[in-house]
Amino acid sequence: MTDPVLEGIIAYPVTPFTPGEEGGVDVDALAALVDRLIDAGCHAVAPLGSTGESAYLDDREWCTAAEAAIGAVDRRVPTVVGVSDLTTRNAVRRARFAEQAGADAVMVLPQAYWKLDEREVVGHFTAVADAVGLPVMLYNNPATSGVDVPPELLVSLVERVENITMVKESSGDVRRLHRLAQLTDGALPFYNGSNPLALAAFAAGATGWCTAAPCLIPGPVLELHRAVRSGEWDLAREVFQRQLPVLEFILGGGLPTTVKAGLALLGLEVGGPREPLLALDPAGTARLAELLAAAG
Protein backbone atom coordinates (compact mmCIF):
# COMPACT_ATOMS: atom_id res chain seq x y z
CA MET A 1 0.00 0.00 0.00
CA THR A 2 1.37 3.41 -1.01
CA ASP A 3 0.19 6.26 1.18
CA PRO A 4 -0.94 9.42 -0.60
CA VAL A 5 0.89 12.61 0.19
CA LEU A 6 -1.46 14.47 2.51
CA GLU A 7 0.13 17.73 3.55
CA GLY A 8 -1.00 21.30 3.66
CA ILE A 9 -4.56 22.44 3.05
CA ILE A 10 -7.13 19.63 2.85
CA ALA A 11 -10.28 21.32 1.54
CA TYR A 12 -13.78 20.24 2.57
CA PRO A 13 -16.49 20.97 0.00
CA VAL A 14 -20.16 21.27 0.83
CA THR A 15 -22.58 18.89 -0.86
CA PRO A 16 -24.69 21.02 -3.24
CA PHE A 17 -28.39 20.25 -3.60
CA THR A 18 -30.73 20.88 -6.52
CA PRO A 19 -33.71 23.21 -5.87
CA GLY A 20 -36.99 22.04 -4.34
CA GLU A 21 -38.12 20.01 -1.37
CA GLU A 22 -37.02 16.78 -3.02
CA GLY A 23 -33.72 18.22 -4.23
CA GLY A 24 -30.91 15.71 -4.55
CA VAL A 25 -27.17 16.02 -5.00
CA ASP A 26 -26.22 18.60 -7.63
CA VAL A 27 -23.26 16.83 -9.21
CA ASP A 28 -22.50 19.68 -11.63
CA ALA A 29 -22.23 22.22 -8.81
CA LEU A 30 -20.11 19.78 -6.80
CA ALA A 31 -17.74 19.35 -9.74
CA ALA A 32 -17.53 23.13 -10.16
CA LEU A 33 -16.68 23.56 -6.48
CA VAL A 34 -14.03 20.85 -6.61
CA ASP A 35 -12.46 22.58 -9.62
CA ARG A 36 -12.39 25.88 -7.73
CA LEU A 37 -10.66 24.29 -4.76
CA ILE A 38 -8.01 22.57 -6.86
CA ASP A 39 -7.46 25.57 -9.13
CA ALA A 40 -6.92 27.71 -6.00
CA GLY A 41 -4.05 25.42 -4.98
CA CYS A 42 -5.56 23.22 -2.26
CA HIS A 43 -3.45 20.15 -1.63
CA ALA A 44 -6.26 17.59 -1.19
CA VAL A 45 -10.05 17.42 -1.31
CA ALA A 46 -12.15 15.72 1.39
CA PRO A 47 -15.83 15.29 0.47
CA LEU A 48 -18.52 14.02 2.81
CA GLY A 49 -17.25 15.28 6.12
CA SER A 50 -19.35 17.33 8.50
CA THR A 51 -19.27 20.25 6.04
CA GLY A 52 -20.57 17.93 3.32
CA GLU A 53 -23.64 17.03 5.41
CA SER A 54 -22.80 13.35 5.21
CA ALA A 55 -25.06 12.56 8.16
CA TYR A 56 -28.05 14.08 6.33
CA LEU A 57 -27.72 12.04 3.11
CA ASP A 58 -29.44 8.77 2.35
CA ASP A 59 -27.30 5.94 1.00
CA ARG A 60 -28.05 6.68 -2.65
CA GLU A 61 -27.21 10.37 -2.23
CA TRP A 62 -24.04 9.57 -0.32
CA CYS A 63 -22.82 7.25 -3.08
CA THR A 64 -23.71 9.82 -5.74
CA ALA A 65 -21.76 12.54 -3.93
CA ALA A 66 -18.76 10.30 -3.28
CA GLU A 67 -18.53 9.14 -6.88
CA ALA A 68 -19.07 12.65 -8.27
CA ALA A 69 -16.42 14.21 -6.03
CA ILE A 70 -13.82 11.52 -6.73
CA GLY A 71 -14.51 11.80 -10.45
CA ALA A 72 -14.23 15.59 -10.36
CA VAL A 73 -10.90 15.48 -8.54
CA ASP A 74 -9.67 13.06 -11.22
CA ARG A 75 -6.40 12.25 -9.41
CA ARG A 76 -5.19 15.85 -9.60
CA VAL A 77 -4.76 15.83 -5.82
CA PRO A 78 -5.51 13.15 -3.20
CA THR A 79 -9.16 12.56 -2.30
CA VAL A 80 -10.05 11.69 1.30
CA VAL A 81 -13.66 10.51 1.63
CA GLY A 82 -15.53 10.72 4.92
CA VAL A 83 -17.23 7.38 5.54
CA SER A 84 -18.71 7.94 8.99
CA ASP A 85 -22.03 6.45 10.02
CA LEU A 86 -23.83 5.48 13.20
CA THR A 87 -23.37 1.80 12.44
CA THR A 88 -20.10 0.00 11.84
CA ARG A 89 -21.74 -2.04 9.08
CA ASN A 90 -22.63 1.04 7.05
CA ALA A 91 -19.29 2.74 7.70
CA VAL A 92 -17.60 -0.38 6.34
CA ARG A 93 -19.90 -0.38 3.31
CA ARG A 94 -19.13 3.27 2.62
CA ALA A 95 -15.38 2.71 3.00
CA ARG A 96 -15.49 -0.12 0.49
CA PHE A 97 -17.54 1.98 -1.93
CA ALA A 98 -15.05 4.86 -1.65
CA GLU A 99 -12.15 2.51 -2.30
CA GLN A 100 -13.81 1.04 -5.39
CA ALA A 101 -14.67 4.53 -6.66
CA GLY A 102 -11.02 5.58 -6.53
CA ALA A 103 -10.53 7.39 -3.21
CA ASP A 104 -6.97 7.74 -1.98
CA ALA A 105 -7.87 7.54 1.73
CA VAL A 106 -10.91 7.40 3.99
CA MET A 107 -11.70 9.34 7.14
CA VAL A 108 -13.78 7.75 9.88
CA LEU A 109 -15.48 9.35 12.86
CA PRO A 110 -17.24 7.24 15.50
CA GLN A 111 -20.79 8.57 15.76
CA ALA A 112 -22.97 7.64 18.67
CA TYR A 113 -26.56 7.68 19.87
CA TRP A 114 -25.60 5.47 22.78
CA LYS A 115 -22.31 6.49 24.38
CA LEU A 116 -19.48 4.27 23.10
CA ASP A 117 -16.87 2.85 25.45
CA GLU A 118 -13.23 2.33 24.53
CA ARG A 119 -13.78 -1.27 23.42
CA GLU A 120 -16.55 -0.20 21.05
CA VAL A 121 -14.54 2.70 19.62
CA VAL A 122 -11.59 0.40 18.96
CA GLY A 123 -13.85 -2.19 17.35
CA HIS A 124 -15.47 0.41 15.09
CA PHE A 125 -12.22 1.95 13.86
CA THR A 126 -10.57 -1.43 13.40
CA ALA A 127 -13.46 -2.91 11.43
CA VAL A 128 -13.43 -0.04 8.94
CA ALA A 129 -9.65 -0.20 8.54
CA ASP A 130 -9.70 -3.98 8.08
CA ALA A 131 -12.34 -3.68 5.35
CA VAL A 132 -10.18 -1.68 2.94
CA GLY A 133 -6.64 -1.43 1.68
CA LEU A 134 -6.62 2.37 1.84
CA PRO A 135 -4.91 4.58 4.40
CA VAL A 136 -7.35 5.51 7.15
CA MET A 137 -7.55 8.87 8.90
CA LEU A 138 -9.03 8.64 12.40
CA TYR A 139 -11.20 11.64 13.18
CA ASN A 140 -11.94 12.97 16.67
CA ASN A 141 -14.74 15.55 16.86
CA PRO A 142 -16.62 15.17 20.14
CA ALA A 143 -18.87 18.18 19.50
CA THR A 144 -20.57 16.54 16.51
CA SER A 145 -20.06 12.83 17.16
CA GLY A 146 -20.78 12.57 20.88
CA VAL A 147 -17.58 10.54 21.27
CA ASP A 148 -14.27 11.91 22.55
CA VAL A 149 -11.25 9.77 21.66
CA PRO A 150 -8.16 10.76 23.68
CA PRO A 151 -4.74 11.06 22.02
CA GLU A 152 -3.43 7.98 23.80
CA LEU A 153 -6.13 5.77 22.27
CA LEU A 154 -5.71 7.29 18.82
CA VAL A 155 -1.98 6.64 18.91
CA SER A 156 -2.45 3.08 20.13
CA LEU A 157 -4.70 2.39 17.12
CA VAL A 158 -2.12 3.84 14.73
CA GLU A 159 0.49 1.55 16.29
CA ARG A 160 -1.70 -1.57 16.17
CA VAL A 161 -3.52 -1.31 12.82
CA GLU A 162 -1.29 -1.12 9.76
CA ASN A 163 -3.37 1.11 7.51
CA ILE A 164 -4.50 3.54 10.22
CA THR A 165 -1.87 6.13 9.44
CA MET A 166 -3.26 9.60 10.23
CA VAL A 167 -5.28 11.48 12.84
CA LYS A 168 -7.56 14.51 12.44
CA GLU A 169 -8.12 16.26 15.77
CA SER A 170 -11.08 18.66 16.02
CA SER A 171 -11.73 18.92 19.74
CA GLY A 172 -10.56 22.54 19.77
CA ASP A 173 -7.95 21.78 22.43
CA VAL A 174 -4.47 22.54 21.10
CA ARG A 175 -2.98 20.47 23.93
CA ARG A 176 -4.31 17.40 22.12
CA LEU A 177 -2.14 18.25 19.11
CA HIS A 178 0.96 18.66 21.23
CA ARG A 179 0.18 15.35 22.93
CA LEU A 180 -0.08 13.54 19.59
CA ALA A 181 3.33 14.88 18.64
CA GLN A 182 4.77 14.01 22.04
CA LEU A 183 3.48 10.44 22.06
CA THR A 184 4.99 9.67 18.63
CA ASP A 185 8.14 11.81 18.72
CA GLY A 186 6.66 13.82 15.87
CA ALA A 187 6.36 10.80 13.57
CA LEU A 188 2.54 10.70 13.33
CA PRO A 189 0.91 12.80 10.61
CA PHE A 190 -1.83 14.72 12.41
CA TYR A 191 -4.22 17.31 11.05
CA ASN A 192 -6.06 20.21 12.63
CA GLY A 193 -9.82 20.32 12.13
CA SER A 194 -10.60 23.32 14.34
CA ASN A 195 -10.45 26.46 12.18
CA PRO A 196 -9.66 28.99 14.94
CA LEU A 197 -6.64 26.88 15.96
CA ALA A 198 -5.03 26.84 12.52
CA LEU A 199 -1.97 28.93 13.40
CA ALA A 200 -1.46 27.27 16.78
CA ALA A 201 -1.86 23.84 15.18
CA PHE A 202 0.84 24.49 12.61
CA ALA A 203 3.08 25.71 15.42
CA ALA A 204 2.41 22.43 17.22
CA GLY A 205 3.61 20.49 14.18
CA ALA A 206 0.37 19.72 12.35
CA THR A 207 0.95 18.14 8.95
CA GLY A 208 -2.09 19.89 7.52
CA TRP A 209 -5.28 21.84 8.08
CA CYS A 210 -8.60 20.15 7.27
CA THR A 211 -10.97 23.01 6.53
CA ALA A 212 -13.98 24.27 4.59
CA ALA A 213 -12.56 27.80 4.59
CA PRO A 214 -11.01 27.48 1.09
CA CYS A 215 -14.52 27.32 -0.32
CA LEU A 216 -14.79 31.02 0.60
CA ILE A 217 -11.31 32.46 1.20
CA PRO A 218 -8.78 30.19 -0.52
CA GLY A 219 -6.19 32.95 -0.93
CA PRO A 220 -5.68 33.76 2.76
CA VAL A 221 -5.85 30.09 3.77
CA LEU A 222 -3.13 29.08 1.32
CA GLU A 223 -1.09 32.18 2.11
CA LEU A 224 -1.06 31.12 5.77
CA HIS A 225 0.26 27.71 4.85
CA ARG A 226 2.95 29.16 2.59
CA ALA A 227 4.09 31.53 5.34
CA VAL A 228 4.28 28.68 7.86
CA ARG A 229 6.22 26.47 5.46
CA SER A 230 8.74 29.24 4.78
CA GLY A 231 9.13 30.05 8.48
CA GLU A 232 7.68 33.55 8.10
CA TRP A 233 5.82 33.49 11.39
CA ASP A 234 5.19 37.24 11.58
CA LEU A 235 3.50 37.09 8.18
CA ALA A 236 1.64 33.94 9.24
CA ARG A 237 0.24 35.72 12.29
CA GLU A 238 -0.88 38.70 10.21
CA VAL A 239 -2.54 36.52 7.59
CA PHE A 240 -4.23 34.41 10.24
CA GLN A 241 -5.59 37.39 12.16
CA ARG A 242 -7.07 38.79 8.95
CA GLN A 243 -9.04 35.61 8.25
CA LEU A 244 -9.89 34.69 11.85
CA PRO A 245 -13.26 36.57 11.91
CA VAL A 246 -14.41 34.49 8.91
CA LEU A 247 -13.19 31.27 10.51
CA GLU A 248 -15.03 32.03 13.74
CA PHE A 249 -18.21 33.06 11.93
CA ILE A 250 -18.51 29.96 9.76
CA LEU A 251 -17.77 27.66 12.69
CA GLY A 252 -20.21 29.43 15.01
CA GLY A 253 -23.00 29.53 12.45
CA GLY A 254 -22.63 25.91 11.33
CA LEU A 255 -20.40 25.04 8.40
CA PRO A 256 -23.02 23.78 5.90
CA THR A 257 -25.24 26.81 6.53
CA THR A 258 -22.57 29.49 6.44
CA VAL A 259 -20.37 28.06 3.69
CA LYS A 260 -23.35 27.57 1.38
CA ALA A 261 -24.44 31.14 2.02
CA GLY A 262 -20.92 32.37 1.32
CA LEU A 263 -20.66 30.44 -1.93
CA ALA A 264 -23.92 32.02 -3.10
CA LEU A 265 -22.44 35.45 -2.30
CA LEU A 266 -19.43 34.51 -4.42
CA GLY A 267 -21.60 33.45 -7.36
CA LEU A 268 -21.75 29.67 -7.00
CA GLU A 269 -25.27 28.44 -6.22
CA VAL A 270 -25.14 25.22 -4.21
CA GLY A 271 -28.61 25.26 -2.66
CA GLY A 272 -29.39 25.46 1.02
CA PRO A 273 -28.56 23.00 3.77
CA ARG A 274 -30.69 19.94 4.37
CA GLU A 275 -33.46 20.43 6.93
CA PRO A 276 -33.60 20.60 9.88
CA LEU A 277 -30.67 22.91 9.10
CA LEU A 278 -31.86 26.23 7.73
CA ALA A 279 -30.36 28.78 5.36
CA LEU A 280 -28.48 31.70 6.85
CA ASP A 281 -30.80 34.60 7.68
CA PRO A 282 -30.47 38.01 5.93
CA ALA A 283 -28.62 39.64 8.83
CA GLY A 284 -26.14 36.78 8.97
CA THR A 285 -25.68 36.85 5.21
CA ALA A 286 -24.95 40.56 5.29
CA ARG A 287 -22.44 40.09 8.08
CA LEU A 288 -20.75 37.25 6.20
CA ALA A 289 -20.44 39.44 3.11
CA GLU A 290 -18.67 42.09 5.19
CA LEU A 291 -16.28 39.53 6.68
CA LEU A 292 -15.42 38.00 3.31
CA ALA A 293 -14.66 41.43 1.87
CA ALA A 294 -12.40 42.27 4.83
CA ALA A 295 -10.56 38.94 4.63
CA GLY A 296 -9.58 39.60 1.02
Side-chain angles (χ1 to χ4, degrees):
M1 177 181 65
T2 301
D3 289 357
V5 178
L6 288 179
E7 185 272 341
I9 303 302
I10 296 93
Y12 281 64
V14 297
T15 299
F17 296 130
T18 55
E21 291 184 6
E22 301 300 321
V25 176
D26 187 337
V27 296
D28 292 333
L30 179 54
L33 178 54
V34 166
D35 283 342
R36 285 167 63 136
L37 295 170
I38 295 175
D39 291 345
C42 295
H43 304 102
V45 174
L48 295 167
S50 304
T51 303
E53 297 179 80
S54 178
Y56 296 92
L57 304 179
D58 64 31
D59 286 341
R60 178 183 55 81
E61 291 173 324
W62 187 93
C63 291
T64 297
E67 203 163 42
I70 293 167
V73 173
D74 195 24
R75 300 289 182 186
R76 290 177 288 173
V77 296
T79 308
V80 185
V81 178
V83 300
S84 302
D85 191 77
L86 273 174
T87 67
T88 301
R89 179 175 64 178
N90 209 34
V92 163
R93 187 191 64 79
R94 288 180 170 186
R96 286 173 173 159
F97 183 94
E99 182 175 36
Q100 292 168 0
D104 295 289
V106 296
M107 179 183 71
V108 57
L109 173 79
Q111 297 177 320
Y113 180 88
W114 294 106
K115 183 177 176 60
L116 303 181
D117 63 22
E118 180 175 316
R119 181 173 57 96
E120 290 163 332
V121 169
V122 169
H124 181 74
F125 278 141
T126 303
V128 175
D130 286 347
V132 295
L134 296 176
V136 174
M137 175 187 285
L138 302 186
Y139 179 19
N140 182 49
N141 189 345
T144 59
S145 71
V147 180
D148 189 9
V149 188
E152 291 77 10
L153 181 54
L154 292 168
V155 169
S156 73
L157 282 158
V158 171
E159 292 172 344
R160 285 157 34 190
V161 183
E162 181 181 4
N163 60 325
I164 295 178
T165 61
M166 303 168 279
V167 170
K168 175 185 173 185
E169 168 55 50
S170 297
S171 68
D173 184 350
V174 71
R175 294 172 299 178
R176 298 284 187 101
L177 302 175
H178 287 288
R179 184 62 175 153
L180 289 170
Q182 180 187 49
L183 288 168
T184 62
D185 293 324
L188 172 67
F190 64 88
Y191 304 80
N192 169 54
S194 177
N195 284 331
L197 287 185
L199 182 62
F202 279 129
T207 306
W209 177 15
C210 298
T211 175
C215 294
L216 304 183
I217 50 169
V221 169
L222 287 155
E223 188 180 359
L224 171 62
H225 179 252
R226 285 191 293 268
V228 168
R229 284 293 305 272
S230 62
E232 299 176 83
W233 287 98
D234 287 341
L235 175 60
R237 281 188 287 272
E238 186 275 324
V239 171
F240 178 68
Q241 289 298 327
R242 176 158 42 92
Q243 63 188 275
L244 182 57
V246 173
L247 302 178
E248 292 175 331
F249 184 90
I250 63 176
L251 179 63
L255 291 171
T257 294
T258 55
V259 174
K260 286 188 168 183
L263 284 168
L265 288 169
L266 296 174
L268 181 59
E269 292 293 340
V270 292
R274 176 69 51 86
E275 291 182 347
L277 301 179
L278 297 176
L280 193 62
D281 62 27
T285 301
R287 178 57 179 157
L288 179 56
E290 294 172 357
L291 294 175
L292 293 177

